[in-house]
Amino acid sequence: MMKIFFISATALTVYWMVTKYKLSYDLDNDLLHGDGSFFGYGAPHGVLAYIILPCFLLALIWNEGFEAFEILWAFSIYLEAVAILPQLFMLQKTKEGEAFTLLYIFCVGAYRALYIINWVYRYSTENHYWQPLVWTAGVVQTLLYADFFYYYFLALKEGSKFQLPG
């Protein structure tokens, strides 16, 4: 039941992005999409070239078993680890973000950091708990958030507006 909810919520979010909130898209500051399309200025470019294809190729190389389901599972793990990159690149270029966007990025990063604590706990309490693929992707994802966390907490501590240097 929860899977249906999550898939429905994701579909609704994507629908809103391409309809209701389409005008809020900031083409000038989007470094990965080129012309705003999935493919950018001609394939391979944009999200397809810089995020999706590398994740798929890595999934073909490093997976739990060379079967379709295992490759797709590994692909989803790798894709989840780097899916925030377009948003982080946008923040890097604009040097600031809206409160809801910043809170969303913080929550997603905190979620992954809490997963690392869970993995450490499971490794210490469960026999034969070994998932290097998941651990590696999770650590990479958390490290991608490190810079953001630093400046987010700095802004909270100082009571100032979130601002990246540069």
Side-chain angles (χ1 to χ4, degrees):
M1 188 66 173
M2 288 304 289
K3 289 278 188 192
I4 293 171
F5 171 75
F6 288 129
I7 292 170
S8 299
T10 301
L12 181 62
T13 301
V14 171
Y15 173 74
W16 282 345
M17 286 170 48
V18 297
T19 59
K20 186 175 181 180
Y21 297 104
K22 184 177 184 175
L23 295 177
S24 70
Y25 174 61
D26 188 359
L27 177 62
D28 295 332
N29 288 314
D30 190 348
L31 300 174
L32 287 179
H33 284 83
D35 62 359
S37 70
F38 180 74
F39 294 106
Y41 293 112
H45 189 74
V47 171
L48 179 67
Y50 295 115
I51 294 181
I52 295 176
L53 284 178
C55 288
F56 185 73
L57 293 174
L58 185 58
L60 288 173
I61 296 166
W62 188 16
N63 54 63
E64 297 285 319
F66 202 75
E67 300 168 0
F69 180 80
E70 293 297 331
I71 292 169
L72 291 174
W73 176 77
F75 171 67
S76 74
I77 296 295
Y78 299 138
L79 189 59
E80 180 184 8
V82 296
I84 197 68
L85 282 176
Q87 190 64 51
L88 292 176
F89 287 156
M90 180 78 80
L91 270 178
Q92 197 72 10
K93 186 161 185 196
T94 62
K95 305 294 183 210
E96 60 186 19
E98 296 179 22
F100 286 125
T101 303
L102 299 174
L103 184 58
Y104 169 77
I105 294 171
F106 172 79
C107 288
V108 173
Y111 148 82
R112 181 50 67 186
L114 290 172
Y115 253 93
I116 292 174
I117 294 168
N118 174 47
W119 297 330
V120 170
Y121 173 78
R122 288 183 65 188
Y123 184 77
S124 66
T125 60
E126 295 179 19
N127 292 331
H128 309 294
Y129 179 67
W130 184 251
Q131 291 191 307
L133 183 149
V134 174
W135 298 340
T136 303
V139 168
V140 166
Q141 182 178 10
T142 304
L143 289 174
L144 289 174
Y145 286 92
D147 186 53
F148 169 82
F149 281 148
Y150 174 76
Y151 290 106
Y152 187 77
F153 284 123
L154 194 62
L156 288 177
K157 179 182 165 194
E158 295 174 354
S160 63
K161 183 178 179 184
F162 177 86
Q163 190 87 23
L164 290 173

